[in-house]
PDB file of all heavy atoms in Angstrom:
ATOM      1  N   ILE A  77     -47.976  35.909   5.999  1.00  0.00           N
ATOM      2  CA  ILE A  77     -48.702  35.384   4.814  1.00  0.00           C
ATOM      3  C   ILE A  77     -48.123  34.065   4.402  1.00  0.00           C
ATOM      4  O   ILE A  77     -46.904  33.824   4.528  1.00  0.00           O
ATOM      5  CB  ILE A  77     -48.534  36.472   3.665  1.00  0.00           C
ATOM      6  CG1 ILE A  77     -49.057  37.774   4.019  1.00  0.00           C
ATOM      7  CG2 ILE A  77     -49.262  35.907   2.329  1.00  0.00           C
ATOM      8  CD1 ILE A  77     -48.725  38.948   3.091  1.00  0.00           C
ATOM      9  N   LYS A  78     -49.048  33.152   3.994  1.00  0.00           N
ATOM     10  CA  LYS A  78     -48.516  31.843   3.576  1.00  0.00           C
ATOM     11  C   LYS A  78     -49.256  31.311   2.284  1.00  0.00           C
ATOM     12  O   LYS A  78     -50.378  31.828   2.074  1.00  0.00           O
ATOM     13  CB  LYS A  78     -48.552  30.784   4.732  1.00  0.00           C
ATOM     14  CG  LYS A  78     -49.937  30.218   4.966  1.00  0.00           C
ATOM     15  CD  LYS A  78     -49.955  29.080   5.952  1.00  0.00           C
ATOM     16  CE  LYS A  78     -51.344  28.385   5.958  1.00  0.00           C
ATOM     17  NZ  LYS A  78     -51.307  27.307   6.900  1.00  0.00           N
ATOM     18  N   ALA A  79     -48.496  30.519   1.663  1.00  0.00           N
ATOM     19  CA  ALA A  79     -49.118  29.791   0.481  1.00  0.00           C
ATOM     20  C   ALA A  79     -48.659  28.386   0.554  1.00  0.00           C
ATOM     21  O   ALA A  79     -47.636  28.027   1.090  1.00  0.00           O
ATOM     22  CB  ALA A  79     -48.603  30.462  -0.805  1.00  0.00           C
ATOM     23  N   THR A  80     -49.509  27.495   0.025  1.00  0.00           N
ATOM     24  CA  THR A  80     -49.220  26.067  -0.016  1.00  0.00           C
ATOM     25  C   THR A  80     -49.113  25.551  -1.460  1.00  0.00           C
ATOM     26  O   THR A  80     -49.631  26.103  -2.350  1.00  0.00           O
ATOM     27  CB  THR A  80     -50.297  25.202   0.692  1.00  0.00           C
ATOM     28  OG1 THR A  80     -51.554  25.465   0.034  1.00  0.00           O
ATOM     29  CG2 THR A  80     -50.466  25.668   2.195  1.00  0.00           C
ATOM     30  N   LEU A  81     -48.294  24.486  -1.544  1.00  0.00           N
ATOM     31  CA  LEU A  81     -48.110  23.876  -2.889  1.00  0.00           C
ATOM     32  C   LEU A  81     -48.071  22.420  -2.815  1.00  0.00           C
ATOM     33  O   LEU A  81     -47.428  21.787  -1.894  1.00  0.00           O
ATOM     34  CB  LEU A  81     -46.776  24.438  -3.437  1.00  0.00           C
ATOM     35  CG  LEU A  81     -46.295  23.780  -4.729  1.00  0.00           C
ATOM     36  CD1 LEU A  81     -47.162  24.223  -5.893  1.00  0.00           C
ATOM     37  CD2 LEU A  81     -44.881  24.096  -5.024  1.00  0.00           C
ATOM     38  N   ASP A  82     -48.726  21.756  -3.678  1.00  0.00           N
ATOM     39  CA  ASP A  82     -48.738  20.302  -3.863  1.00  0.00           C
ATOM     40  C   ASP A  82     -48.031  20.023  -5.182  1.00  0.00           C
ATOM     41  O   ASP A  82     -48.677  20.173  -6.277  1.00  0.00           O
ATOM     42  CB  ASP A  82     -50.160  19.679  -3.784  1.00  0.00           C
ATOM     43  CG  ASP A  82     -50.199  18.192  -4.110  1.00  0.00           C
ATOM     44  OD1 ASP A  82     -49.151  17.609  -4.446  1.00  0.00           O
ATOM     45  OD2 ASP A  82     -51.263  17.607  -3.995  1.00  0.00           O
ATOM     46  N   ASN A  83     -46.811  19.621  -5.290  1.00  0.00           N
ATOM     47  CA  ASN A  83     -46.066  19.265  -6.452  1.00  0.00           C
ATOM     48  C   ASN A  83     -45.855  17.749  -6.612  1.00  0.00           C
ATOM     49  O   ASN A  83     -45.175  17.299  -7.540  1.00  0.00           O
ATOM     50  CB  ASN A  83     -44.794  20.050  -6.654  1.00  0.00           C
ATOM     51  CG  ASN A  83     -43.689  19.544  -5.746  1.00  0.00           C
ATOM     52  OD1 ASN A  83     -43.997  18.925  -4.683  1.00  0.00           O
ATOM     53  ND2 ASN A  83     -42.498  19.902  -6.025  1.00  0.00           N
ATOM     54  N   LEU A  84     -46.562  17.040  -5.725  1.00  0.00           N
ATOM     55  CA  LEU A  84     -46.482  15.543  -5.825  1.00  0.00           C
ATOM     56  C   LEU A  84     -47.430  14.987  -6.851  1.00  0.00           C
ATOM     57  O   LEU A  84     -46.954  14.077  -7.615  1.00  0.00           O
ATOM     58  CB  LEU A  84     -46.881  14.996  -4.442  1.00  0.00           C
ATOM     59  CG  LEU A  84     -46.798  13.485  -4.312  1.00  0.00           C
ATOM     60  CD1 LEU A  84     -45.390  13.055  -4.438  1.00  0.00           C
ATOM     61  CD2 LEU A  84     -47.319  13.031  -2.909  1.00  0.00           C
ATOM     62  N   ASN A  85     -48.612  15.465  -6.986  1.00  0.00           N
ATOM     63  CA  ASN A  85     -49.600  14.967  -7.953  1.00  0.00           C
ATOM     64  C   ASN A  85     -49.580  15.597  -9.284  1.00  0.00           C
ATOM     65  O   ASN A  85     -49.994  15.034 -10.252  1.00  0.00           O
ATOM     66  CB  ASN A  85     -50.990  15.069  -7.284  1.00  0.00           C
ATOM     67  CG  ASN A  85     -51.126  14.201  -6.009  1.00  0.00           C
ATOM     68  OD1 ASN A  85     -50.694  13.033  -5.975  1.00  0.00           O
ATOM     69  ND2 ASN A  85     -51.627  14.754  -4.929  1.00  0.00           N
ATOM     70  N   THR A  86     -49.250  16.843  -9.351  1.00  0.00           N
ATOM     71  CA  THR A  86     -49.129  17.456 -10.631  1.00  0.00           C
ATOM     72  C   THR A  86     -47.902  18.441 -10.613  1.00  0.00           C
ATOM     73  O   THR A  86     -47.673  19.213  -9.738  1.00  0.00           O
ATOM     74  CB  THR A  86     -50.397  18.446 -10.843  1.00  0.00           C
ATOM     75  OG1 THR A  86     -50.558  19.255  -9.732  1.00  0.00           O
ATOM     76  CG2 THR A  86     -51.672  17.615 -11.058  1.00  0.00           C
ATOM     77  N   PRO A  87     -47.157  18.208 -11.676  1.00  0.00           N
ATOM     78  CA  PRO A  87     -45.860  18.961 -11.603  1.00  0.00           C
ATOM     79  C   PRO A  87     -46.056  20.500 -12.029  1.00  0.00           C
ATOM     80  O   PRO A  87     -45.097  21.227 -11.759  1.00  0.00           O
ATOM     81  CB  PRO A  87     -45.027  18.301 -12.713  1.00  0.00           C
ATOM     82  CG  PRO A  87     -45.934  17.671 -13.603  1.00  0.00           C
ATOM     83  CD  PRO A  87     -47.189  17.276 -12.769  1.00  0.00           C
ATOM     84  N   TYR A  88     -47.188  20.822 -12.594  1.00  0.00           N
ATOM     85  CA  TYR A  88     -47.309  22.248 -12.999  1.00  0.00           C
ATOM     86  C   TYR A  88     -48.605  22.774 -12.454  1.00  0.00           C
ATOM     87  O   TYR A  88     -49.680  22.193 -12.614  1.00  0.00           O
ATOM     88  CB  TYR A  88     -47.312  22.394 -14.495  1.00  0.00           C
ATOM     89  CG  TYR A  88     -46.059  21.776 -15.137  1.00  0.00           C
ATOM     90  CD1 TYR A  88     -46.083  20.520 -15.749  1.00  0.00           C
ATOM     91  CD2 TYR A  88     -44.900  22.482 -15.090  1.00  0.00           C
ATOM     92  CE1 TYR A  88     -45.002  19.938 -16.274  1.00  0.00           C
ATOM     93  CE2 TYR A  88     -43.720  21.971 -15.613  1.00  0.00           C
ATOM     94  CZ  TYR A  88     -43.806  20.659 -16.164  1.00  0.00           C
ATOM     95  OH  TYR A  88     -42.609  20.126 -16.764  1.00  0.00           O
ATOM     96  N   ASN A  89     -48.517  23.970 -11.775  1.00  0.00           N
ATOM     97  CA  ASN A  89     -49.677  24.562 -11.309  1.00  0.00           C
ATOM     98  C   ASN A  89     -49.366  26.037 -11.045  1.00  0.00           C
ATOM     99  O   ASN A  89     -48.253  26.349 -10.665  1.00  0.00           O
ATOM    100  CB  ASN A  89     -50.189  23.995  -9.911  1.00  0.00           C
ATOM    101  CG  ASN A  89     -51.605  24.372  -9.541  1.00  0.00           C
ATOM    102  OD1 ASN A  89     -52.348  24.890 -10.401  1.00  0.00           O
ATOM    103  ND2 ASN A  89     -52.010  24.142  -8.367  1.00  0.00           N
ATOM    104  N   ASN A  90     -50.386  26.929 -11.345  1.00  0.00           N
ATOM    105  CA  ASN A  90     -50.131  28.348 -11.226  1.00  0.00           C
ATOM    106  C   ASN A  90     -51.026  28.819 -10.121  1.00  0.00           C
ATOM    107  O   ASN A  90     -52.066  28.254  -9.783  1.00  0.00           O
ATOM    108  CB  ASN A  90     -50.560  29.082 -12.515  1.00  0.00           C
ATOM    109  CG  ASN A  90     -49.593  28.827 -13.616  1.00  0.00           C
ATOM    110  OD1 ASN A  90     -48.427  29.214 -13.641  1.00  0.00           O
ATOM    111  ND2 ASN A  90     -49.946  27.885 -14.518  1.00  0.00           N
ATOM    112  N   SER A  91     -50.642  29.940  -9.551  1.00  0.00           N
ATOM    113  CA  SER A  91     -51.400  30.561  -8.461  1.00  0.00           C
ATOM    114  C   SER A  91     -52.500  31.492  -9.089  1.00  0.00           C
ATOM    115  O   SER A  91     -52.223  32.070 -10.073  1.00  0.00           O
ATOM    116  CB  SER A  91     -50.486  31.414  -7.615  1.00  0.00           C
ATOM    117  OG  SER A  91     -49.555  30.667  -6.901  1.00  0.00           O
ATOM    118  N   PRO A  92     -53.549  31.573  -8.404  1.00  0.00           N
ATOM    119  CA  PRO A  92     -54.567  32.551  -8.851  1.00  0.00           C
ATOM    120  C   PRO A  92     -54.050  33.936  -8.645  1.00  0.00           C
ATOM    121  O   PRO A  92     -53.257  34.254  -7.778  1.00  0.00           O
ATOM    122  CB  PRO A  92     -55.809  32.238  -7.963  1.00  0.00           C
ATOM    123  CG  PRO A  92     -55.313  31.428  -6.865  1.00  0.00           C
ATOM    124  CD  PRO A  92     -54.048  30.831  -7.222  1.00  0.00           C
ATOM    125  N   VAL A  93     -54.564  34.855  -9.535  1.00  0.00           N
ATOM    126  CA  VAL A  93     -54.172  36.227  -9.436  1.00  0.00           C
ATOM    127  C   VAL A  93     -55.403  37.073  -9.222  1.00  0.00           C
ATOM    128  O   VAL A  93     -56.370  36.934  -9.964  1.00  0.00           O
ATOM    129  CB  VAL A  93     -53.453  36.688 -10.760  1.00  0.00           C
ATOM    130  CG1 VAL A  93     -53.093  38.154 -10.669  1.00  0.00           C
ATOM    131  CG2 VAL A  93     -52.181  35.814 -10.920  1.00  0.00           C
ATOM    132  N   PHE A  94     -55.409  38.021  -8.272  1.00  0.00           N
ATOM    133  CA  PHE A  94     -56.591  38.853  -8.093  1.00  0.00           C
ATOM    134  C   PHE A  94     -56.847  39.671  -9.337  1.00  0.00           C
ATOM    135  O   PHE A  94     -55.933  40.150  -9.991  1.00  0.00           O
ATOM    136  CB  PHE A  94     -56.435  39.782  -6.847  1.00  0.00           C
ATOM    137  CG  PHE A  94     -56.610  39.170  -5.571  1.00  0.00           C
ATOM    138  CD1 PHE A  94     -55.490  38.778  -4.807  1.00  0.00           C
ATOM    139  CD2 PHE A  94     -57.889  38.826  -5.108  1.00  0.00           C
ATOM    140  CE1 PHE A  94     -55.608  38.170  -3.524  1.00  0.00           C
ATOM    141  CE2 PHE A  94     -58.047  38.237  -3.892  1.00  0.00           C
ATOM    142  CZ  PHE A  94     -56.873  37.920  -3.070  1.00  0.00           C
ATOM    143  N   SER A  95     -58.197  39.777  -9.674  1.00  0.00           N
ATOM    144  CA  SER A  95     -58.576  40.529 -10.893  1.00  0.00           C
ATOM    145  C   SER A  95     -58.231  42.061 -10.763  1.00  0.00           C
ATOM    146  O   SER A  95     -57.942  42.721 -11.684  1.00  0.00           O
ATOM    147  CB  SER A  95     -60.048  40.328 -11.164  1.00  0.00           C
ATOM    148  OG  SER A  95     -60.367  38.999 -11.303  1.00  0.00           O
ATOM    149  N   SER A  96     -58.265  42.554  -9.473  1.00  0.00           N
ATOM    150  CA  SER A  96     -57.892  43.917  -9.233  1.00  0.00           C
ATOM    151  C   SER A  96     -57.231  43.961  -7.787  1.00  0.00           C
ATOM    152  O   SER A  96     -57.535  42.976  -7.101  1.00  0.00           O
ATOM    153  CB  SER A  96     -59.081  44.894  -9.299  1.00  0.00           C
ATOM    154  OG  SER A  96     -60.039  44.504  -8.382  1.00  0.00           O
ATOM    155  N   LEU A  97     -56.554  44.950  -7.493  1.00  0.00           N
ATOM    156  CA  LEU A  97     -55.964  45.025  -6.211  1.00  0.00           C
ATOM    157  C   LEU A  97     -57.060  45.010  -5.096  1.00  0.00           C
ATOM    158  O   LEU A  97     -58.037  45.837  -5.252  1.00  0.00           O
ATOM    159  CB  LEU A  97     -55.095  46.255  -6.026  1.00  0.00           C
ATOM    160  CG  LEU A  97     -53.804  46.299  -6.804  1.00  0.00           C
ATOM    161  CD1 LEU A  97     -53.103  47.621  -6.607  1.00  0.00           C
ATOM    162  CD2 LEU A  97     -52.893  45.231  -6.239  1.00  0.00           C
ATOM    163  N   PRO A  98     -56.922  44.232  -4.108  1.00  0.00           N
ATOM    164  CA  PRO A  98     -57.984  44.185  -3.076  1.00  0.00           C
ATOM    165  C   PRO A  98     -57.825  45.408  -2.042  1.00  0.00           C
ATOM    166  O   PRO A  98     -57.736  45.162  -0.885  1.00  0.00           O
ATOM    167  CB  PRO A  98     -57.945  42.829  -2.346  1.00  0.00           C
ATOM    168  CG  PRO A  98     -56.421  42.554  -2.693  1.00  0.00           C
ATOM    169  CD  PRO A  98     -55.981  43.179  -3.936  1.00  0.00           C
ATOM    170  N   VAL A  99     -57.687  46.552  -2.631  1.00  0.00           N
ATOM    171  CA  VAL A  99     -57.438  47.744  -1.823  1.00  0.00           C
ATOM    172  C   VAL A  99     -58.605  48.728  -2.004  1.00  0.00           C
ATOM    173  O   VAL A  99     -59.178  48.847  -3.060  1.00  0.00           O
ATOM    174  CB  VAL A  99     -56.150  48.532  -2.212  1.00  0.00           C
ATOM    175  CG1 VAL A  99     -55.969  49.785  -1.578  1.00  0.00           C
ATOM    176  CG2 VAL A  99     -55.001  47.612  -2.094  1.00  0.00           C
ATOM    177  N   PHE A 100     -59.124  49.301  -0.921  1.00  0.00           N
ATOM    178  CA  PHE A 100     -60.222  50.181  -1.028  1.00  0.00           C
ATOM    179  C   PHE A 100     -60.258  51.113   0.087  1.00  0.00           C
ATOM    180  O   PHE A 100     -59.741  50.927   1.164  1.00  0.00           O
ATOM    181  CB  PHE A 100     -61.583  49.315  -1.095  1.00  0.00           C
ATOM    182  CG  PHE A 100     -61.710  48.366   0.156  1.00  0.00           C
ATOM    183  CD1 PHE A 100     -62.376  48.854   1.222  1.00  0.00           C
ATOM    184  CD2 PHE A 100     -61.226  47.143   0.049  1.00  0.00           C
ATOM    185  CE1 PHE A 100     -62.559  47.978   2.338  1.00  0.00           C
ATOM    186  CE2 PHE A 100     -61.350  46.356   1.189  1.00  0.00           C
ATOM    187  CZ  PHE A 100     -62.036  46.751   2.300  1.00  0.00           C
ATOM    188  N   GLY A 101     -61.036  52.215  -0.093  1.00  0.00           N
ATOM    189  CA  GLY A 101     -61.345  53.142   0.991  1.00  0.00           C
ATOM    190  C   GLY A 101     -62.847  53.357   0.914  1.00  0.00           C
ATOM    191  O   GLY A 101     -63.477  53.423  -0.063  1.00  0.00           O
ATOM    192  N   LEU A 102     -63.447  53.337   2.059  1.00  0.00           N
ATOM    193  CA  LEU A 102     -64.899  53.408   2.245  1.00  0.00           C
ATOM    194  C   LEU A 102     -65.300  54.670   3.001  1.00  0.00           C
ATOM    195  O   LEU A 102     -64.627  55.073   3.925  1.00  0.00           O
ATOM    196  CB  LEU A 102     -65.461  52.165   2.883  1.00  0.00           C
ATOM    197  CG  LEU A 102     -65.111  50.799   2.257  1.00  0.00           C
ATOM    198  CD1 LEU A 102     -65.599  49.652   3.099  1.00  0.00           C
ATOM    199  CD2 LEU A 102     -65.600  50.757   0.798  1.00  0.00           C
ATOM    200  N   SER A 103     -66.516  55.092   2.811  1.00  0.00           N
ATOM    201  CA  SER A 103     -67.097  56.155   3.669  1.00  0.00           C
ATOM    202  C   SER A 103     -68.077  55.641   4.525  1.00  0.00           C
ATOM    203  O   SER A 103     -68.559  54.487   4.523  1.00  0.00           O
ATOM    204  CB  SER A 103     -67.882  57.188   2.655  1.00  0.00           C
ATOM    205  OG  SER A 103     -67.046  57.721   1.701  1.00  0.00           O
ATOM    206  N   MET A 104     -68.367  56.376   5.645  1.00  0.00           N
ATOM    207  CA  MET A 104     -69.267  55.934   6.616  1.00  0.00           C
ATOM    208  C   MET A 104     -70.694  55.867   6.161  1.00  0.00           C
ATOM    209  O   MET A 104     -71.078  56.575   5.243  1.00  0.00           O
ATOM    210  CB  MET A 104     -69.209  56.897   7.828  1.00  0.00           C
ATOM    211  CG  MET A 104     -67.938  56.810   8.614  1.00  0.00           C
ATOM    212  SD  MET A 104     -67.804  57.794  10.103  1.00  0.00           S
ATOM    213  CE  MET A 104     -69.217  58.677  10.251  1.00  0.00           C
ATOM    214  N   LEU A 105     -71.528  55.062   6.861  1.00  0.00           N
ATOM    215  CA  LEU A 105     -72.996  54.851   6.639  1.00  0.00           C
ATOM    216  C   LEU A 105     -73.312  54.557   5.132  1.00  0.00           C
ATOM    217  O   LEU A 105     -74.386  55.066   4.758  1.00  0.00           O
ATOM    218  CB  LEU A 105     -73.637  56.194   7.052  1.00  0.00           C
ATOM    219  CG  LEU A 105     -73.522  56.524   8.557  1.00  0.00           C
ATOM    220  CD1 LEU A 105     -74.116  57.909   8.823  1.00  0.00           C
ATOM    221  CD2 LEU A 105     -74.171  55.463   9.441  1.00  0.00           C
TER     222      LEU A 105
END
Side-chain angles (χ1 to χ4, degrees):
I77 301 168
K78 79 174 186 176
T80 59
L81 172 71
D82 175 356
N83 71 341
L84 181 65
N85 297 313
T86 55
Y88 304 102
N89 194 12
N90 291 284
S91 297
V93 176
F94 283 103
S95 301
S96 61
L97 287 175
V99 174
F100 56 91
L102 307 175
S103 299
M104 291 184 355
L105 300 172

